[in-house]
């Protein structure tokens, strides 16, 4: 992996035109390589892709050059690319009749089918020749699972201003450029800002305001409608690798980032973060995360995974290629991670996402804070579901039990009902409502809940429906009205039922 000076963005337009003309796009790669070789690249296995690009077609040349980082004859490169400009601009190097790429360029499909390109250090695009591993200080990675997760959970709506903290190769800034009038991107690593400039230019996106510095330091006193960050969240002994190690003790970097966001968001603005947090012996992790939420913000925290300290240390030792070092060196580094966890009383590390929304209700002392564990599959992009989550919280915050019973609801379109019981039994043991969209939740309901959800079509108020169910089931309608609002509230909160706006 090389850390030479970066190319100039001056020739990005000509290079982009050449890449597109040769179908060097996400769809073009899949067509050329086929699904097995394409999937193998994501595992850092390049042999299938090398076999699939043995021809001399323009796309074969570009895949070998920019994705697999293999030298190609200068004549072949000149037939596909504006070679003199690419060499003069630093995108390529030429020697002894062969041409090599100076940077990793990976095709990436935008949310509306845009043909984008993510530029990173050689061997550092996930699916590139080197995959991940053997990283050096200051290196800039390409797109990976964390990047796509953050892009998918971000609420996408037109905004005046967006901020990408720790921009890396500029993936989040690229997404934000599609719906934000002004995009600011920051990073402690000046090299990352250079790559963000290249990613935006090669993708045909508008330039961003690039600023060097840590966390909110480069944007002191400024506020934004959208803030996103895939920070260096790894809890590690020291700050050896800029792209992953925050340089603060434990999970302090993530905590600081989240806590300082309240003063940086405009009213109604969203902030989305990926984060790690400690599970300690003397504190519940939910309480730890609740203390991070800044005043004036609603929050939704979802823990996606928990690893014990040995799993966590091994994961990140492999990420940096330390498992390939001498056994004694590897053992010493492993030991240092465990010493760090033992000293802080850490028994595990959680990973997930944190969404904040600035709201008047939260500022008035009534924040909605939901902290949950959800390791199951979700639909991506999840941004629309996150926006409706907060809309439901707003609705429920204003509804007492009487208002809920007077309200009208519809069953969400994607909800299915499952009956669970022994074969041949007259009645099911229980009924499950299951979502096929968004968070893809499932919840058990009793006969009243199943009957209520099944007839919610918006035409009758909830109280009238319960009265009819009480009559059918020979129950006291008053008692049924008293005990059901909490169940309705939960079904609305989790997205099974949707409130119908009042007429007029």
């Amino acid at each position: 992996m090389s850390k030479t000076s970066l190319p100039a963005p001056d020739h990005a337009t000509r290079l982009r035109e050449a890449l597109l003309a040769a179908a060097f796009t996400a769809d073009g790669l899949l067509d050329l390589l086929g699904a097995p070789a394409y999937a193998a690249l994501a595992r850092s296995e390049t042999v299938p892709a090398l076999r699939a690009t043995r021809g001399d077609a323009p796309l074969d040349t570009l895949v070998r050059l920019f994705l697999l980082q293999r030298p190609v004859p200068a004549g072949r490169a000149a037939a596909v690319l504006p070679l003199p400009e690419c060499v003069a601009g630093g995108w390529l190097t030429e020697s002894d009749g062969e041409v090599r790429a100076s940077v990793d360029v990976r095709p990436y499909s935008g949310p509306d089918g845009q043909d984008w390109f993510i530029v990173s250090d050689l061997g550092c695009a996930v699916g590139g020749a080197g995959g991940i591993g053997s990283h050096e200080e200051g290196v800039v990675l390409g797109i990976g699972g964390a990047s796509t997760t953050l892009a998918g959970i971000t609420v996408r709506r037109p905004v005046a201003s967006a901020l990408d903290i720790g921009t890396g190769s500029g993936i989040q800034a690229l997404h934000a450029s599609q719906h934000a009038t002004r995009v600011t991107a920051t990073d402690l690593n000046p090299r990352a800002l250079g790559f963000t400039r290249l990613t935006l230019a090669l993708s045909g996106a508008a330039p961003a305001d690039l600023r060097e510095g840590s966390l909110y330091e480069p944007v002191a006193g400024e506020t934004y409608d959208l803030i996103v960050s895939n920070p260096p969240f790894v809890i590690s002994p020291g700050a050896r690798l800029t792209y992953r190690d925050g340089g603060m003790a434990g999970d302090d970097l993530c905590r600081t980032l989240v806590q300082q966001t309240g003063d940086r968001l405009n009213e109604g603005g969203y902030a989305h973060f990926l984060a790690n947090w400690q599970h300690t012996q003397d504190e519940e992790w939910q309480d730890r995360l609740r203390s991070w939420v800044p005043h004036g913000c609603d929050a939704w925290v979802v823990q996606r995974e928990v690893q014990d300290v040995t799993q966590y240390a091994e994961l990140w030792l492999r990420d940096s290629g330390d498992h390939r070092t001498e056994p004694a060196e590897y053992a010493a580094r492993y030991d240092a991670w465990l010493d760090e966890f033992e000293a802080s009383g850490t028994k595990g590390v959680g990973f997930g996402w944190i969404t904040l929304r600035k709201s008047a209700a939260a500022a008035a002392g009534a924040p909605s804070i939901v902290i949950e564990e959800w390791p199951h599959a979700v639909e991506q992009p999840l941004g629309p579901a996150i926006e409706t989550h907060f809309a439901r919280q707003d609705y429920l915050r204003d509804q007492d039990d009487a208002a809920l019973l007077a309200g009208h609801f519809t069953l969400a379109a994607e909800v299915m009902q499952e009956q669970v019981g022994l074969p041949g039994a007259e009645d099911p043991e229980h009924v499950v409502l299951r979502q096929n969209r968004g968070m893809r939740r499932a919840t058990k309901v009793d006969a009243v809940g199943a009957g209520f959800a099944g007839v919610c079509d918006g035409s009758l108020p909830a109280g009238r429906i319960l009265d009819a169910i009480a009559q059918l089931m020979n129950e006291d309608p008053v008692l049924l009205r008293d005990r059901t609002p909490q169940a309705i509230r939960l079904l609305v909160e989790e997205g099974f039922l949707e409130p119908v706006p009042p007429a007029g």
Side-chain angles (χ1 to χ4, degrees), residues 113-191:
Q114 302 97 324
D115 289 317
W116 289 342
F117 301 97
I118 310 302
V119 189
S120 62
D121 269 311
L122 287 173
C124 291
V126 172
I132 55 176
S134 303
H135 294 320
E136 303 170 6
E137 170 64 22
V139 76
V140 177
L141 303 190
I143 193 162
S147 303
T148 55
T149 294
L150 179 58
I153 67 171
T154 300
V155 171
R156 302 292 175 191
R157 55 181 185 169
V159 294
S161 57
L163 172 64
D164 176 14
I165 301 174
T167 187
S169 54
I171 300 148
Q172 309 308 324
L174 179 57
H175 276 275
S177 71
Q178 303 303 292
H179 61 101
T181 303
R182 175 173 57 90
V183 177
T184 302
T186 71
D187 205 291
L188 185 64
N189 181 4
R191 188 174 180 82

Side-chain angles (χ1 to χ4, degrees), residues 167-168 185-187 189-197 210-212:
T167 187
T186 71
D187 205 291
N189 181 4
R191 188 174 180 82
L193 299 178
F195 274 115
T196 294
R197 184 179 293 108
L210 305 177
R211 306 188 194 181
E212 182 181 345

Side-chain angles (χ1 to χ4, degrees), residues 390-477:
F390 285 98
R392 292 194 300 267
Q393 297 300 316
D394 289 342
Y395 169 82
L396 291 171
R397 194 156 31 193
D398 296 333
Q399 307 295 310
D400 59 16
D401 287 356
L404 280 178
L405 292 175
H408 295 239
F409 303 92
T410 59
L411 186 66
E414 72 276 5
V415 175
M416 303 295 291
Q417 178 177 300
E418 301 174 0
Q419 294 187 349
V420 180
L422 294 174
E426 183 175 347
D427 297 310
E429 293 180 11
H430 60 265
V431 174
V432 175
L433 300 181
R434 186 178 303 278
Q435 300 169 349
N436 293 315
R437 302 290 303 277
M439 292 291 285
R440 295 176 174 160
R441 298 184 189 276
T443 187
K444 286 200 299 186
V445 292
D446 59 13
V448 172
F452 179 84
V455 299
C456 276
D457 61 3
S459 61
L460 294 174
R464 288 272 302 278
I465 295 174
L466 290 176
D467 291 343
I469 291 175
Q471 186 175 3
L472 287 172
M473 300 182 68
N474 294 317
E475 291 206 29
D476 185 329

Side-chain angles (χ1 to χ4, degrees), residues 246-266:
M248 297 185 185
D251 53 21
D252 280 356
L253 183 134
C254 291
R255 175 185 58 79
T256 301
L257 176 61
V258 173
Q259 287 181 336
Q260 291 181 355
T261 300
D263 295 331
R264 304 298 179 191
L265 270 181
N266 292 326

Side-chain angles (χ1 to χ4, degrees), residues 26-381:
D27 289 342
L29 289 183
L30 184 57
D31 289 342
L32 172 69
L33 302 179
Y38 193 80
L41 278 179
R43 303 190 299 270
S44 302
E45 296 292 346
T46 60
V47 172
L50 286 168
R51 291 174 61 86
T53 56
R54 287 179 292 192
D56 58 1
L59 186 54
D60 295 324
T61 300
L62 294 178
V63 171
R64 283 183 167 256
L65 189 61
F66 286 115
L67 262 190
L68 304 177
Q69 282 104 55
R70 295 297 196 273
V72 302
R76 283 182 58 180
V80 185
L81 298 167
L83 185 58
E85 293 180 20
C86 289
V87 172
W91 293 91
L92 302 173
T93 60
E94 185 176 4
S95 177
D96 298 327
E98 289 188 327
V99 172
R100 290 181 177 271
S102 301
V103 290
D104 213 326
V105 177
R106 179 165 179 85
Y108 175 59
S109 182
D112 296 317
Q114 302 97 324
D115 289 317
W116 289 342
F117 301 97
I118 310 302
V119 189
S120 62
D121 269 311
L122 287 173
C124 291
V126 172
I132 55 176
S134 303
H135 294 320
E136 303 170 6
E137 170 64 22
V139 76
V140 177
L141 303 190
I143 193 162
S147 303
T148 55
T149 294
L150 179 58
I153 67 171
T154 300
V155 171
R156 302 292 175 191
R157 55 181 185 169
V159 294
S161 57
L163 172 64
D164 176 14
I165 301 174
T167 187
S169 54
I171 300 148
Q172 309 308 324
L174 179 57
H175 276 275
S177 71
Q178 303 303 292
H179 61 101
T181 303
R182 175 173 57 90
V183 177
T184 302
T186 71
D187 205 291
L188 185 64
N189 181 4
R191 188 174 180 82
L193 299 178
F195 274 115
T196 294
R197 184 179 293 108
L198 296 176
T199 289
L200 293 172
L202 195 57
S203 298
D209 179 4
L210 305 177
R211 306 188 194 181
E212 182 181 345
S214 177
L215 301 182
Y216 290 108
E217 292 173 1
V219 294
E222 299 178 24
T223 58
Y224 297 86
D225 302 314
L226 173 67
I227 299 173
V228 294
S229 183
N230 176 16
F233 52 67
V234 176
I235 300 170
S236 59
R240 187 161 60 100
L241 299 172
T242 303
Y243 77 91
R244 72 169 199 193
D245 302 324
M248 297 185 185
D251 53 21
D252 280 356
L253 183 134
C254 291
R255 175 185 58 79
T256 301
L257 176 61
V258 173
Q259 287 181 336
Q260 291 181 355
T261 300
D263 295 331
R264 304 298 179 191
L265 270 181
N266 292 326
E267 179 69 21
Y270 284 88
H272 304 275
F273 308 109
L274 300 186
N276 277 183
W277 43 79
Q278 293 163 269
H279 284 229
T280 62
Q281 298 168 355
D282 56 358
E283 182 182 29
E284 294 295 328
W285 71 270
Q286 295 93 333
D287 294 336
R288 187 180 194 88
L289 271 296
R290 191 170 285 106
S291 71
W292 290 11
V293 179
H295 175 73
C297 288
D298 301 314
W300 187 14
V301 180
V302 179
Q303 179 168 272
R304 299 287 288 157
E305 182 182 4
V306 182
Q307 291 186 323
D308 67 46
V309 293
T310 59
Q311 291 174 310
Y312 190 80
E314 290 162 14
L315 169 67
W316 293 108
L317 286 167
R318 290 187 64 85
D319 169 84
S320 57
D322 289 321
H323 62 299
R324 301 191 184 102
T325 62
E326 291 296 324
E329 184 178 352
Y330 173 78
R333 285 184 171 163
Y334 197 155
D335 223 19
W337 283 72
L338 297 185
D339 284 344
E340 177 88 359
F341 288 133
E342 184 177 348
S344 61
T346 300
K347 59 183 180 180
V349 178
F351 169 81
W353 63 67
I354 299 172
T355 297
L356 304 177
R357 184 192 58 165
K358 192 76 170 283
S359 77
S368 163
I369 301 176
V370 177
I371 300 175
E372 62 176 322
E373 185 165 16
W374 189 254
H376 311 293
V378 300
E379 180 187 32
Q380 283 285 27

